[in-house]
Amino acid sequence: MRLRMVFIAVLASFGAWGVLHAQRPFREYEGREYNTSEQDEFPLPADWGQKTEWTRARLRYPAVGTLHGWYDYRGQPVDGGPLNWTIDYPRSDRHLLQGVRRLTRIDTRSVEQIVDLDGDDDVYNWPMMYAVEVGHWNLTDEMADQLREFLLRGGFLMVDDFHGTLEWNVFLRSMNKVFPDRKIVDLDNKDPIFHVIYDLDDRFQVPGWQWSVSGKTYEYDGFDPKWRAIYDDHGRIMVAICHNMDLGDAWEWSDDPRYPEKWASLAYRIAMNYFMYDLTH
Amino acid sequence: MFEFLFKYPSAVFSRGTFVLLSGWPMWVLGAGLLAAAALLAWMVWRPGASQGRGMERRMGGWRAVFVWLMQTAMAALLLFLLWHPALSVATLKPQQNIVAVVVDDSGSMATPDENGSTRKDAAVRILNSSLIKELQGKFQVRLYRMSDHLERIEKLEQVTAQGSATHIGESLKQVVEDANSLPIGAVVLLSDGADNSGGIDLDTISDIRRQRIPVHTIGFGKEKMAHDLEINDVEVPSRALPESRLAATVHLHQRGYAGQKVKINVKEGNKILASQEITLKPDGVEQVEPVLFSAGPAGVKTIQAYVDPLPNEENLRNNSVMQLVSVDDRKPRILYFEGEPRWEFKFLRRAVEDDTTLRLTTDLRTTPDKLYRQILKDQDPNTNLVDGFPTKVQELFDYEGLILGSVDQAYLKPAQQQLIHEFVDRRGGGLLLMGGRDSLADGGYAQSGLNDLLPTVLPDTKKKTYVIDGADVELTAAGRESLITRIEENPDKNVERWKKLPYLMNFQDPGTPKPGATVLANSIPKGGGGNKLPLLIVEPYGRGRTAIFATAGSWRWQMLQPVADMSHEIFYRQLLRWLVSDTPKRVKVSTPHPLISDDSHVKLRTEVRDSTYLPSGDATVEAHILGPDGITETVDMRPEPLEQGVYVADWTTPKAGSYTVEVSAKHGQDDLGSDTLTFRREDGVAENFHVEQNRDLLEKLSSETGGRYYRPDEAGRISKDITYSEAGITVRETRDLWDMPVIFLLIAGLRAAEWTARRKWGVI
């Protein structure tokens, strides 16, 4: 009996410690494309535990089922499904963060942080959030409420790698739950986000690795790249929308000589500008 | 009784000099005393003195000593009387001296005290009943009435108790001046002592003593009110930025209402700005209560602090005090130079973005060789910053505040570090240093030209002082009082609010606060065993001020609290306003009392600096004054000899009302700048306060000048006591002491004491 009480007390204190600290520690998750549990496949950087001023968070979200009817050899939907949020993870993230270290003075961690819109406060500890393949996301009302709160408090969301009209509509369905009364607008070339480090007046479509198979820079009917945003009442971008492009793949494959350098370079520059814009606005 | 025993009034003894009139040498008296004592001792202790009747035992030991002492005292007294003791005292020659009778004619004398009779009535009654007649029997009497000045009167009917102020010192000075040409032997002052001029200065007392004029005072009025609350003073900053949170520090005391709750209100015109309920302290104890209010938009504000009348309160006119606050239409500029992109930079900018008074320019090192400059909207983009951190005086001195983020001291050249030093010390700017991995000790500041500016002594350690780990925050006692850390208006709620703030993302050890620094908040690292580190430290430095906010993790106060919560915004706005609100312009005019009560004199002081903020000692400074009813005057301000760059002027306001002073300074043809000040004169206010009789002042005045304090019922003694004075036309008189009744009683007493003792011991 006494041992049980001690055990409960220890558990409770850990729980209390966790609540008190409210910042979840780093951990890895099973990915669609990379098996992080196999350290040979994608080892952790040596300094993964180093505490820094900044890191980029990746949003874990529930997804719709397959939109386009594609499945892999395991019978898992290639698009959609519970692991949709892990597309490019963690290789894309780790490459990108190395780029941040090399190209800016941001003191970044070498590894990403996975966050949830689960009603817990942890998401607010990571004001820079990235979500991939949001053409498949399916936010609940509660998740949308928390995302709205996150953004209005000062958080920044960058969404990427979703293509065409169908995926745009799926994205919009959840995004409209977050901000039903805010317009999504095309970013003007003069916007500071395109000039905060690099001048990015001449942008072009950045395709994903599918280009090496299809030979096309677009997917579905996403012919033209769209740089769009949702602004707050002070004229600051809260949500930066990269539609009809795949920056995540560009970061992921930037070290592969088969992936053209010009796309990788632009993808990094866009990311650096977007991160710097967030930290200066 | 005194006069019955000692034959003469006490004034004779206090002013007289003791003398022996016999003319015989003192040593003879001494020798006689010794001889008498020896003889008596032999008689008491000679062998056989107590023989035969068993007296040896009855007269032994201390009894014999007692008898000897009694007999020796008697002998000494008789010898003393033989030398003819007397008092030599100066007395005023009758009818050749003037007694100045000064009646307090100020408004406080109209206060009804006992039986509804005013103090003025009581004074006039005493004078009319017998005092004037008795004085006129021996002296010439000159009547005066006194308020803010002294005025000769012919009749007591001219005393009206309508004077606007009480300046006892000034009035007595005039009497002393009259004494240079008139034989004024004494002054009788009838007053309640409620002086408004801050007391009687030592020079006036010295002048009176030099003339040896005793001032006899008769005090009127209750020394303590039974039921009264008085606001003694209200302190507010004389200048403020628009929409700033200000504190009106109200000083008050009360009698008869201890423990009760009252509300202190602060209003401007008819608009109540703030209200605060307080509990009154014990009777007579001064209580200091800060009441927070918003400065509002630019303009000159007449602020009134008041308490509503309390039940049975005896004086209702001292429940409110006014002060002036000049809310400058000024938008101070702040340069925030940040060494690395981080969330604290983002959220600090956001926190102050909506503050329409502060103008923040930020420079951020985004990449190793790139700076990103941002100027908030509505600001002039021509910031004079060419490239990087300022290198020239004009570039930096155009700002009023400077924030350094995580900037390694090696990034700043020695000349730039010196420039920052001058910015604070000479220009009077504010410097805020944030925590960071390249800040403070970790940034090498201990070995830099900025070390002197820091409000702390940095830790001497090889360990990193900047730690990315959670830390809670706690206000210190000073922080609880400070407006910088006042997120909630109510002080108790504010303390609770701070306890509930989300923890900081990181903290830095800033070292030990220097003696002149104030720690407003501490950080308490999680897992640190409760150890505390200074978090927010402020210190005045030279003409400016410096502060350290030893963290870059307060952004969690924004992200971990609801959108509607404004804690982070309020904190940073108040911190940055503190940083710049006292940064002076090149020309700065001030006056010690922006609101003057029942006084016409105003002192103006202007500090003038050149374009590099060095004192300008050879400027031409003019004050253009505009007053009520079209009053205008231009006054040349003269240089203050011991303070370079300071110019002063004294001016007399012709009437009550508001006055605006615009001061302009030129050096040759170069315009150095200008400044504007508003002050106000109010009449009929001073006498509402301190209406209790100031007996201390009256007693001190009398004792310092050789006079005496009397209660009204003792006034009849003045005519006798007043005779003894060394002022005016006097004659030296000698008063014998040998025939004082007390001498006779002493002789009888000594004999009776010895006889009684002997009888008791059976040795008679």
Side-chain angles (χ1 to χ4, degrees), chain A residues 20-21 23 51-54 103 105 107 124-125 127 149 153-154 196-197 234 236 278-281, chain B residues 339 343 345-346 349-350 353-354 364 366 370 374 466 468-469 503 505 556 558-559 561-563:
Chain A
L20 275 176
H21 281 66
Q23 194 181 36
K51 289 181 185 170
T52 59
E53 287 282 355
W54 185 92
L103 297 170
R105 282 181 58 81
D107 175 33
Y124 302 112
N125 287 306
E149 185 71 12
R153 289 183 188 185
V196 68
I197 299 181
H234 285 81
R236 297 176 294 225
D278 168 46
L279 288 171
T280 54
H281 288 76
Chain B
W343 280 316
F345 174 82
K346 162 182 173 160
R349 291 189 72 253
R350 283 180 167 231
E353 190 176 43
D354 286 341
L364 169 66
T366 53
K370 257 198 145 174
Q374 290 167 284
Y466 180 68
I468 299 179
D469 221 337
Y503 63 83
M505 198 60 169
R556 288 188 89 251
Q558 175 62 24
M559 284 302 292
Q561 298 200 95
V563 173

Side-chain angles (χ1 to χ4, degrees), chain B residues 668-682:
Chain B
Q669 295 300 316
D670 295 330
D671 184 12
L672 295 177
S674 64
D675 194 18
T676 306
L677 170 80
T678 301
F679 67 88
R680 188 176 167 81
R681 169 181 155 181
E682 289 203 326

Side-chain angles (χ1 to χ4, degrees), chain B residues 11 81 94 100 149 153 231 244 270 383 406-407 426 484 530 561 576 592 594 615 624 631 669 695 703 705-706 714 756:
Chain B
L81 291 176
H149 65 284
I153 54 174
I231 295 185
S244 293
N270 290 327
T383 63
S406 185
V407 180
R426 191 170 96 214
I484 296 174
Q561 298 200 95
L576 265 54
H624 309 276
I631 294 169
Q669 295 300 316
R695 180 167 169 161
S703 67
T705 57
E714 297 173 327
T756 304

Side-chain angles (χ1 to χ4, degrees), chain B residues 463-481:
Chain B
K463 251 175 53 172
K464 287 291 176 196
T465 61
Y466 180 68
V467 176
I468 299 179
D469 221 337
D472 292 313
V473 181
E474 175 191 76
L475 286 182
T476 62
R480 283 183 221 120
E481 302 298 320

Side-chain angles (χ1 to χ4, degrees), chain B residues 80-311:
Chain B
F80 180 69
L81 291 176
L82 281 178
W83 256 253
H84 198 173
L87 279 174
S88 173
V89 62
T91 59
L92 296 173
K93 269 193 166 177
Q95 298 309 327
Q96 292 192 37
N97 286 284
I98 295 171
V99 168
V101 174
V102 179
V103 186
D104 189 339
D105 194 32
S106 65
S108 59
M109 292 294 281
T111 306
D113 283 312
E114 310 288 340
N115 306 320
S117 171
T118 67
R119 298 169 188 181
K120 177 213 95 176
D121 291 341
V124 168
R125 195 164 44 243
I126 285 174
L127 288 171
N128 276 335
S129 59
S130 58
L131 182 57
I132 293 262
K133 277 207 186 86
E134 287 171 10
L135 289 174
Q136 283 173 335
K138 300 180 197 174
F139 313 103
Q140 296 174 51
V141 172
R142 279 169 85 103
L143 269 179
Y144 296 88
R145 66 179 179 182
M146 167 198 82
S147 54
D148 57 346
H149 65 284
L150 190 75
E151 190 185 336
R152 179 112 189 262
I153 54 174
E154 297 301 324
K155 310 183 275 201
L156 286 172
E157 284 73 20
Q158 290 172 269
V159 177
T160 57
Q162 289 177 1
S164 59
T166 311
H167 294 170
I168 297 178
E170 286 294 318
S171 302
L172 290 179
K173 248 192 198 160
Q174 290 183 46
V175 172
V176 169
E177 281 168 13
D178 286 352
N180 287 331
S181 54
L182 294 170
I184 294 183
V187 174
V188 177
L189 172 65
L190 294 91
S191 171
D192 55 12
D195 188 273
N196 312 117
S197 60
I200 305 172
D201 59 82
L202 288 174
D203 287 342
T204 305
I205 299 285
S206 299
D207 287 342
I208 299 173
R209 287 171 76 161
R210 205 175 311 117
Q211 299 272 20
R212 297 188 181 186
I213 302 174
V215 178
H216 302 276
T217 55
I218 307 176
F220 293 87
K222 286 184 194 171
E223 292 175 40
K224 286 183 184 157
M225 297 274 185
H227 291 92
D228 185 46
L229 180 144
E230 177 166 302
I231 295 185
N232 306 322
D233 193 15
V234 174
E235 294 166 345
V236 292
S238 58
R239 292 188 190 228
L241 291 173
E243 312 300 339
S244 293
R245 180 179 270 167
L246 302 179
T249 305
V250 180
H251 298 251
L252 60 100
H253 74 276
Q254 63 75 37
R255 294 195 195 279
Y257 301 106
Q260 289 189 33
K261 289 191 191 300
V262 298
K263 258 201 192 148
I264 303 179
N265 302 299
V266 172
K267 69 177 184 178
E268 185 206 346
N270 290 327
K271 184 179 166 199
I272 292 185
L273 302 175
S275 236
Q276 181 165 307
E277 190 176 75
I278 60 164
T279 303
L280 293 173
K281 286 190 177 172
D283 287 5
V285 172
E286 180 167 288
Q287 197 163 345
V288 181
E289 301 287 347
V291 180
L292 300 189
F293 65 99
S294 172
V300 179
K301 312 293 171 77
T302 305
I303 302 295
Q304 183 182 10
Y306 68 95
V307 174
D308 286 327
L310 300 174

Side-chain angles (χ1 to χ4, degrees), chain B residues 291-585:
Chain B
V291 180
L292 300 189
F293 65 99
S294 172
V300 179
K301 312 293 171 77
T302 305
I303 302 295
Q304 183 182 10
Y306 68 95
V307 174
D308 286 327
L310 300 174
N312 303 316
E313 199 176 348
E314 293 172 60
N315 180 10
L316 302 179
R317 295 163 300 163
N318 58 359
N319 284 28
S320 87
V321 169
M322 295 173 113
Q323 282 292 1
L324 278 191
V325 178
S326 188
V327 182
D328 295 333
D329 187 13
R330 190 161 71 94
K331 293 186 191 296
R333 296 175 63 204
I334 301 171
L335 173 63
Y336 177 7
F337 198 88
E338 176 57 79
E340 59 176 290
R342 48 191 188 163
W343 280 316
E344 191 73 6
F345 174 82
K346 162 182 173 160
F347 285 98
L348 188 158
R349 291 189 72 253
R350 283 180 167 231
V352 301
E353 190 176 43
D354 286 341
D355 189 325
T356 54
T357 299
L358 299 172
R359 293 185 297 166
L360 187 69
T361 296
T362 57
D363 253 3
L364 169 66
R365 292 187 67 200
T366 53
T367 72
D369 50 12
K370 257 198 145 174
L371 278 178
Y372 184 62
R373 176 163 308 133
Q374 290 167 284
I375 306 164
L376 287 180
K377 60 181 186 296
D378 302 331
Q379 290 186 47
D380 182 359
N382 181 18
T383 63
N384 293 328
L385 271 181
V386 178
D387 197 18
F389 191 85
T391 53
K392 298 194 178 82
V393 166
Q394 250 77 8
E395 286 175 355
L396 185 58
F397 283 24
D398 268 356
Y399 293 93
E400 274 122 307
L402 173 64
I403 305 172
L404 287 180
S406 185
V407 180
D408 194 293
Q409 66 89 21
Y411 180 81
L412 299 166
K413 300 190 187 70
Q416 287 171 317
Q417 294 180 18
Q418 180 60 28
L419 189 60
I420 295 172
H421 196 279
E422 294 296 317
F423 172 77
V424 178
D425 191 17
R426 191 170 96 214
R427 196 267 182 249
L431 171 65
L432 169 64
L433 297 116
M434 309 283 294
R437 56 190 180 131
D438 286 332
S439 250
L440 305 177
D442 294 355
Y445 279 57
Q447 292 79 37
S448 74
L450 301 176
N451 188 38
D452 197 35
L453 284 174
L454 303 181
T456 60
V457 176
L458 294 177
D460 182 13
T461 173
K462 289 194 169 48
K463 251 175 53 172
K464 287 291 176 196
T465 61
Y466 180 68
V467 176
I468 299 179
D469 221 337
D472 292 313
V473 181
E474 175 191 76
L475 286 182
T476 62
R480 283 183 221 120
E481 302 298 320
S482 170
L483 289 184
I484 296 174
T485 46
R486 189 64 67 92
I487 298 174
E488 294 273 352
E489 281 213 6
N490 179 281
D492 294 327
K493 285 186 184 166
N494 187 53
V495 170
E496 291 310 305
R497 188 76 195 86
W498 273 81
K499 284 182 184 165
K500 289 182 183 148
L501 285 175
Y503 63 83
L504 300 167
M505 198 60 169
N506 47 58
F507 60 91
Q508 187 157 18
D509 181 359
T512 313
K514 288 179 181 167
T518 305
V519 180
L520 300 181
N522 289 321
S523 63
I524 308 170
K526 290 190 180 295
N531 282 342
K532 298 179 190 179
L533 292 171
L535 171 67
L536 179 59
I537 313 107
V538 299
E539 186 188 40
Y541 189 95
R543 295 179 86 220
R545 64 223 62 84
T546 60
I548 289 177
F549 187 40
T551 183
S554 77
W555 59 266
R556 288 188 89 251
W557 299 350
Q558 175 62 24
M559 284 302 292
L560 274 291
Q561 298 200 95
V563 173
D565 187 282
M566 295 290 286
S567 305
H568 196 238
E569 289 90 337
I570 292 173
F571 168 72
Y572 262 123
R573 289 177 198 177
Q574 286 176 172
L575 177 59
L576 265 54
R577 277 165 176 261
W578 167 85
L579 194 68
V580 295
S581 59
D582 285 339
T583 303
K585 293 160 53 173

